[in-house]
């Protein structure tokens, strides 16, 4: 399945049904009277987060969504039928933006969460509604109210606990493949990862977290160099970033600073996220190189640096335990800070 994380679509709710002009013609009722019914309500456009979806690829082929019009009223004070809503399912983590791509209308970050984005038009009133003591035979009926329509942008941000960042060929895909069941493409040339990958890491029956691997960043990514920084949005929701630095490449401090500069230039709160720096590929270095490059990284970053090898799995368990502890602490803090609220499937209105 092809990965697609942005899509532009058109949505329109249904128009309301028309009211009608009608009069009673009944035996034994001397004067009759108006009995035109009201029109039915048009269908709504509803978005819902579905846990079994992970891409917006469906919206590449279907880009227009229209709800049906409400039924027209009828005689005998019969109201037209309300049109059924159009339910559009999107992956969990999808954000809905207005056409300007800046105004956020909804953030569907929990399974089952849904929002009525466009309300259907109200039905028009039939002539029975306009009957008064001085107007016994009104011949007025209203048209149904038009529905709402708009162009919107859908942007998917993957839900993950840990985000992998680093330069191309830092070993991110290898790391993901050995700690989870994910099978990303791995090769000895840059940019083998062209779209984000997700993997589930299970340390025990009760401990697991989701890790996201995004395409590697290079200097100037915020200006569009390489694949740019458009995929950084997929790690905005992460509790911690695992910054892999290729220790065998040479200047590890420059590599670390390059990624830090791109995170700060992106300005999505990523630079302030907790970060674990990991010196990778220690199987390709001598003990002296490992020690000197680790000290250089610790001096430049001002924080401890862990070492590992994705190929030989050296120190892998220690790094995963460190990540799990960070994720667990973040989950507990979020749970304690969250106010009492309704279930995740509550309905919102744009």
């Amino acid at each position: 399945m092809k990965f697609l994380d942005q899509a532009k679509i058109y949505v329109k709710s249904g128009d309301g049904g028309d009211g009608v002009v009608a009069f009673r013609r009944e035996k034994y009722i001397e004067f009759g009277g108006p009995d035109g019914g009201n029109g039915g309500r048009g269908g709504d456009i509803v978005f819902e987060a579905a846990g079994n979806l992970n891409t917006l690829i469906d919206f590449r082929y279907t880009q227009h969504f229209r709800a049906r019009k409400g039924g027209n009223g009828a005689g005998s004070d019969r109201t037209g039928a309300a049109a059924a809503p159009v339910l559009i399912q999107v992956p969990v983590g999808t954000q809905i933006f207005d056409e300007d791509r800046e105004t956020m209308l909804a953030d569907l970050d929990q399974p089952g969460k849904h929002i009525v984005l466009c309300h259907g038009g109200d039905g028009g009133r039939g002539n029975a509604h306009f009957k008064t003591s001085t107007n016994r035979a009104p011949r007025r009926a209203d048209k149904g109210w038009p529905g709402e329509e708009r162009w919107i942008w859908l942007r998917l941000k993957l839900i993950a606990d840990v985000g992998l960042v680093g330069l191309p060929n830092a070993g991110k895909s290898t790391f993901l493949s050995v700690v989870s069941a994910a099978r990303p493409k791995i090769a000895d040339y840059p940019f083998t990862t062209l779209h984000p990958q997700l993997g589930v890491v299970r340390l025990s029956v009760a401990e697991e977290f989701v890790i996201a691997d995004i395409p590697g960043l290079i200097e100037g990514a915020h200006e569009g160099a390489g694949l740019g920084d458009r995929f950084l949005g997929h790690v905005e929701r992460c509790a911690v970033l695992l910054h892999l630095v290729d220790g065998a490449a040479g200047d590890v401090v420059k590599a670390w600073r390059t990624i830090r500069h791109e995170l700060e230039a992106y300005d999505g709160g990523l630079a302030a996220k907790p970060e674990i720096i990991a010196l990778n590929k220690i199987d390709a270095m001598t003990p002296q190189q490992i020690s000197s490059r680790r000290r250089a990284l610790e001096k430049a970053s001002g924080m401890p640096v862990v070492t590992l090898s994705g190929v030989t799995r050296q120190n892998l368990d220690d790094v995963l335990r460190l990540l799990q502890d960070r994720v667990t602490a973040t989950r507990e803090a979020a749970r304690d800070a969250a106010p009492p609220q309704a279930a995740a499937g509550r309905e919102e209105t744009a």
Side-chain angles (χ1 to χ4, degrees), residues 13-300:
S13 58
D15 299 335
D18 300 334
V20 299
V21 175
F23 294 92
R24 292 199 306 264
R25 292 293 184 269
E26 300 179 32
K27 191 175 182 181
Y28 306 120
I29 297 181
E30 183 177 0
F31 297 105
D35 66 351
N38 300 332
R41 183 180 177 84
D44 298 329
I45 299 292
V46 181
F47 283 84
E48 181 182 41
N52 60 341
L53 300 176
N54 55 17
T55 176
L56 299 175
I57 188 64
D58 293 339
F59 298 101
R60 169 165 289 184
Y61 309 106
T62 305
Q63 299 165 342
H64 296 78
F65 297 86
R66 295 180 174 88
R68 297 179 65 88
K69 176 184 175 182
N72 295 332
S76 300
D77 284 322
R78 287 176 291 178
T79 300
V86 172
L87 179 63
I88 304 174
Q89 292 190 320
V90 295
V92 177
T94 300
Q95 294 178 329
I96 304 176
F97 289 88
D98 203 356
E99 191 174 5
D100 59 9
R101 305 185 72 170
E102 295 181 358
T103 306
M104 184 186 298
L105 304 175
D107 187 2
L108 305 179
D109 57 353
Q110 298 177 16
K113 191 174 182 180
H114 55 283
I115 178 175
V116 180
L117 192 68
C118 294
H119 292 271
D122 291 330
R125 293 169 175 172
N127 68 331
H129 178 83
F130 299 101
K131 178 182 176 181
T132 65
S133 60
T134 57
N135 185 7
R136 307 299 295 176
R139 284 171 170 77
R140 170 188 170 183
D142 293 342
K143 302 285 287 183
W145 289 87
E148 301 173 350
E149 59 181 326
R150 65 200 317 169
W151 284 92
I152 58 173
W153 279 91
L154 303 178
R155 184 183 181 190
L156 174 61
K157 290 185 178 180
L158 297 177
I159 304 295
D161 301 302
V162 177
L164 285 178
V165 296
L167 291 173
N169 271 4
K172 301 187 299 299
S173 295
T174 300
F175 180 86
L176 182 66
S177 68
V178 298
V179 301
S180 72
R183 292 295 175 262
K185 182 179 180 180
I186 301 174
D188 59 354
Y189 54 85
F191 297 112
T192 54
T193 300
L194 298 178
H195 55 79
Q197 300 276 351
L198 285 180
V200 178
V201 179
R202 290 185 175 89
L203 299 186
S204 66
V205 176
E207 292 181 311
E208 69 176 28
F209 59 87
V210 179
I211 190 167
D213 173 27
I214 64 171
L217 301 173
I218 64 174
E219 186 174 0
H222 66 283
E223 298 175 346
L227 294 178
D229 60 1
R230 59 166 295 200
F231 294 115
L232 278 177
H234 294 289
V235 295
E236 285 184 17
R237 304 180 192 270
C238 295
V240 59
L241 299 178
L242 179 60
H243 187 163
L244 292 183
V245 180
D246 184 358
D251 194 345
V252 294
V253 173
K254 180 181 178 182
W256 174 78
R257 285 176 174 165
T258 298
I259 298 300
R260 290 301 304 177
H261 174 69
E262 297 304 323
L263 295 180
E264 293 167 359
Y266 178 75
D267 191 25
L270 293 179
K273 281 189 175 296
E275 177 186 25
I276 295 176
I277 303 175
L279 186 64
N280 195 16
K281 301 185 182 180
I282 60 175
D283 58 296
M285 296 183 288
T286 65
Q288 293 77 13
Q289 289 175 329
I290 295 174
S291 178
S292 62
R293 292 172 185 178
R294 180 178 184 176
R295 286 197 305 269
L297 266 179
E298 289 178 339
K299 183 178 179 181

